[in-house]
Amino acid sequence: MKIAVITPLFSRSSELMNELTFHFPDVKNNADNRLKTKKDIIAFLQDMDGAIVGREEIDDEILSACPKLTILSRYGVGLDNLDLDTMKKRGVKLGWSGGTNSNSVAEITLSLMLSLIRNLHIATTLLKQHVWKVNGGSELTGKTIGLFGFGNIAKRVIELLAPFHCTILVFNRTQDEAEAQKYGITFASKERILEEADIISIHLPLTSESKNLFSTAEFKAMKKSAFIINTARGGIIDEEALKVALKGGEIAGAGLEAFLAEPTQDWELIDLPNLVCTPHLGGNSKESILAMGYSCIEHLKAHFAH
Ligand SMILES: NC(=O)C1=CN([C@@H]2O[C@H](COP(=O)(O)OP(=O)(O)OC[C@H]3O[C@@H](n4cnc5c(N)ncnc54)[C@H](OP(=O)(O)O)[C@@H]3O)[C@@H](O)[C@H]2O)C=CC1
Ligand SMILES: O=C(O)C(=O)CO
C-alpha cells in the first residue's frame, strides 16, 4: 500500500515516521511542506492508496483526480477542511482522531482564561516596555463560564475548571441531561450565556451554522467586563467585529488561538493590548502529537487489514 503523509506536522516525530514505515514501507512524505497548490496536492496523491492529512483542504476536485485513494486519516480533530459528502459518495473512508488532543487544547484554554482574567498578557507587555504597573485583575474562582460545544474539548475544560468552583453554562446542539448532571453544568441559550458569562469559550466545529456566530450584536450583548476565547476555528468569530468590540471596550478582552486566515497577517488585531493570542498550537503538545499520530496509523492499519 502506498501512503502519503501530506501534513508536515506528522513527520516532525521520527518515532511516528518509524512506526508508520514499519507497517507501510512505501511512504511518500511532504516533510519540507512543498505542496502549495491544489495541483501540487493532486500530483502528490495521484497514485496513493491512503493519506494522512492535517488541515489541508481536500475537495471534490482532488478526490476525483485521485481515484486510488480509499482512506484519509486525519492528523487532528476538526473536519472543516474535508469534503465529507464527496468522500462518502466516492467511498473514501475517514479516519477520525477524536479526543486525541482534547487535553492539550483544554490546557491552552485554561491558560488563556487565567491570562485574560489576571491581566498577565498586559502586565508582560508593559513590563517588557519597562513599565511597572500593578493590576492583578480578578480571580477565576467562582466566575460564570459559558461554553459553546459540549464535546471532548469542552468536557476536558470543565474537568480542569473543577478546582475553581465556577458556574458553567453550556450551549450545545444536543442536550443530554444525564451528561449535564455528570459534569455539573447547566445547558443554556446563547442569549443567557451572552448576558451572564464572565468568560465565553468556543469549542464548536466550523460549519455553516457556527460561521460568524459571534459578531457585533453578540459582543454588544456581552458584559463589558467579559472575555471571549476561541481555540476552535477562525471564522466562528467575526474578526472585524471583534476588533471594533475590543477597541471600543464593548468587551474586556479576547484570547485567540485560531484565526480566519492562518498564519494571520492581521497585525491590527494582533497588536490590540486586550488580546492574548497563540499561533494555533493548542493541539500540539508533545503528548498530543504522538496521540494524533498513533491514532492515524491505527486507522490505516485497520483499514488495510480488511
Ligand atoms: N486549536 C486546536 O489546536 C484545535 C482545535 N480544534 C477545534 O475544536 C473543535 C471542537 O473539538 P472537539 O471538542 O474535539 O470536537 P467534538 O466533536 O468532540 O465536539 C464538538 C461539539 O460541538 C457541538 N456542535 C457541533 N455543531 C454544533 C452546532 N451547530 N451548534 C451547537 N453545537 C454544535 C457538538 O454537539 P453534539 O454533542 O450535538 O454532537 C459537540 O458537542 C474542532 O471541531 C476543531 O475545529 C480541535 C482540536 C485542536
Ligand atoms: O485537531 C485539530 O483540529 C487542530 O486544529 C489541531 O491540529
Side-chain angles (χ1 to χ4, degrees):
M1 290 301 152
K2 292 184 178 179
I3 305 297
V5 180
I6 305 187
T7 170
L9 298 176
F10 182 94
S11 57
R12 288 174 302 184
S13 162
S14 52
E15 179 180 330
L16 289 176
M17 280 308 285
N18 288 342
E19 180 72 9
L20 179 65
T21 48
F22 175 76
H23 295 285
F24 300 94
D26 200 349
V27 169
K28 189 151 107 177
N29 185 14
N30 177 33
D32 51 2
N33 200 13
R34 63 186 180 281
L35 306 181
K36 301 295 177 208
T37 65
K38 205 183 270 196
K39 222 171 122 194
D40 296 339
I41 294 183
I42 290 174
F44 196 79
L45 282 182
Q46 204 120 58
D47 296 325
M48 297 289 125
D49 299 292
I52 294 178
V53 297
R55 295 204 303 276
E56 303 76 18
E57 201 78 29
I58 306 290
D59 63 8
D60 191 19
E61 193 184 336
I62 294 177
L63 292 169
S64 60
C66 304
K68 282 187 72 191
L69 263 185
T70 58
I71 181 166
L72 294 179
S73 193
R74 171 74 175 92
Y75 184 73
V77 168
L79 299 175
D80 49 288
N81 56 319
L82 303 180
D83 183 341
L84 298 176
D85 289 341
T86 301
M87 282 173 63
K88 207 167 172 184
K89 210 171 65 201
R90 295 189 171 277
V92 179
K93 276 209 63 156
L94 168 72
W96 187 55
S97 303
T100 48
N101 57 21
S102 48
N103 188 60
S104 182
V105 181
E107 285 189 4
I108 287 294
T109 305
L110 190 67
S111 309
L112 295 174
M113 284 182 180
L114 285 165
S115 180
L116 285 166
I117 203 154
R118 300 305 309 269
N119 268 327
L120 299 188
H121 55 307
I122 294 173
T124 302
T125 307
L126 287 175
L127 204 46
K128 281 172 181 286
Q129 292 163 355
H130 309 172
V131 178
W132 186 275
K133 186 173 177 217
V134 179
N135 177 1
S138 307
E139 293 179 14
L140 180 57
T141 300
K143 294 295 181 294
T144 298
I145 310 295
L147 300 181
F148 283 74
F150 193 43
N152 289 312
I153 297 172
K155 285 177 176 168
R156 188 62 191 136
V157 169
I158 294 164
E159 287 171 352
L160 295 182
L161 281 171
F164 296 93
H165 305 291
C166 294
T167 298
I168 301 181
L169 304 176
V170 173
F171 174 88
N172 200 51
R173 180 174 53 183
T174 53
Q175 304 197 344
D176 179 336
E177 279 306 329
E179 282 288 285
Q181 274 201 8
K182 180 176 158 199
Y183 282 89
I185 62 98
T186 305
F187 287 118
S189 65
K190 180 181 172 189
E191 291 68 29
R192 179 175 170 198
I193 296 179
L194 291 173
E195 203 176 300
E196 295 182 19
D198 297 302
I199 302 180
I200 286 176
S201 189
I202 303 169
H203 304 288
L204 298 170
L206 175 63
T207 62
S208 51
E209 281 171 310
S210 66
K211 193 163 170 49
N212 287 334
L213 191 63
F214 293 88
S215 192
T216 307
E218 285 71 26
F219 298 131
K220 281 193 192 302
M222 286 170 65
K223 295 184 196 177
K224 285 199 184 317
S225 58
F227 302 98
I228 190 162
I229 292 172
N230 185 11
T231 58
R233 283 293 182 271
I236 299 178
I237 287 183
D238 173 347
E239 287 180 3
E240 291 306 315
L242 178 65
K243 279 190 277 194
V244 174
L246 289 175
K247 282 183 194 164
E250 292 288 353
I251 62 172
L256 294 185
E257 139 84 1
F259 298 86
L260 189 57
E262 294 186 2
T264 183
Q265 302 273 337
D266 190 346
W267 309 128
E268 188 193 354
L269 173 64
I270 298 299
D271 287 345
L272 290 173
N274 47 357
L275 178 85
V276 59
C277 48
T278 48
H280 205 137
L281 52 70
N284 274 274
S285 63
K286 283 183 184 153
E287 292 80 0
S288 65
I289 284 170
L290 290 180
M292 291 188 289
Y294 277 110
S295 164
C296 287
I297 296 168
E298 286 309 313
H299 291 308
L300 295 173
K301 278 166 62 185
H303 178 69
F304 289 114
H306 294 134

